[in-house]
Amino acid sequence: MTTAIGYNPVAMDARTNETWLDELRSPGPVRDMALDDLHSIVRKGLPYALSRWLSPDDPLFTPLVDEVTQETLLRVLDQLDTFEGRSMFTTWVHKIAIRIALTELRRKRWQDSSLDEMVDNEENPAPERLMADSQASPETSAERTDIMTRIRRILDEELTEKQRQALIFLGVQDLPMEEAARRMKTNRNALYKLLHDARLRLKHRLAAENLNAQEVLSAFETR
Amino acid sequence: MDTHPTAKPQIPDELIENLIRSLEHTHDEECTCEDVYAVVDEFAEAEFRGEDAARLMPLIKQHMELCHNCCEEYEALLDVLEKSQSA
């Protein structure tokens, strides 16, 4: 199916979706030329895709772009039959490149920040978070403590060990989804479902206890 | 300080707050990351054309409000479409 959406993100790409598929499935020089063009398109798109995270001047930039471009082309060839033609072929390819690039970037960033954090923690141990705020009134402090106790009890009763572990990995240790999933011997999709189940259980339990999320949050906001 | 006889890892207050906050966007039926990945190219193109992609695919939008990673990937794809056009 050709998707004619009235723009051409990369001027050199005049192929329709069918042409891309035909050429990439053809053996020999036709496929080589299509792959060369696709290589250029991916390389041209990646700086835009990474612009919020990585400057082209960063020493990480070029090796990352090289690695991601190669991996993208391999994955595109491998997944060619899964392309359904619901977008332009090149948009689909950029999507694949972005998933690879950001997964790798998150992994690298997390490794670096974990190292920084280890050094920081050794030099400046983090202070314990205080439950009570010295400026809060006794009533406010008591209400907050009461709500927090109830919420902690609900979490203890409702969350499975896996759900708790996932929350700690993502919310406390700041692991990227892929890394948390790897440690839990699962995948990003299943991890999302696990957390969705946790949120849903919590939501239903709060409702059953006549606790409104907004009321709970306002107790937090009075800190 | 709370003590937990079962020695479960303690969930900090801030994480509990974020969890409670996320309940406002929690629905019985939600898309998964795979569902979003399958259509994010179509979603980004619709947005790029100036269509209201969130209205056309509300479940995708809803997922991205909760899933930071999927949201980042969508925004990166939109950047590619927009910046390639203006280059």
Side-chain angles (χ1 to χ4, degrees), chain A residues 91 95 152 196 203 223, chain B residues 11 17 26-27 37 45 79:
Chain A
T91 308
K95 168 178 83 170
R152 285 198 180 281
H196 174 229
K203 186 176 181 177
R223 272 200 292 258
Chain B
I11 299 178
E17 186 176 346
T26 296
H27 303 274
Y37 185 69
E45 282 187 354
D79 279 345

Side-chain angles (χ1 to χ4, degrees), chain A residues 160-179:
Chain A
T160 64
E161 282 306 309
K162 272 191 163 183
Q163 288 168 337
R164 180 177 287 268
Q165 183 63 69
L167 285 170
I168 299 281
F169 276 157
L170 296 171
V172 180
Q173 298 181 13
D174 274 338
L175 261 64
M177 287 277 276
E178 277 83 1
E179 177 62 19

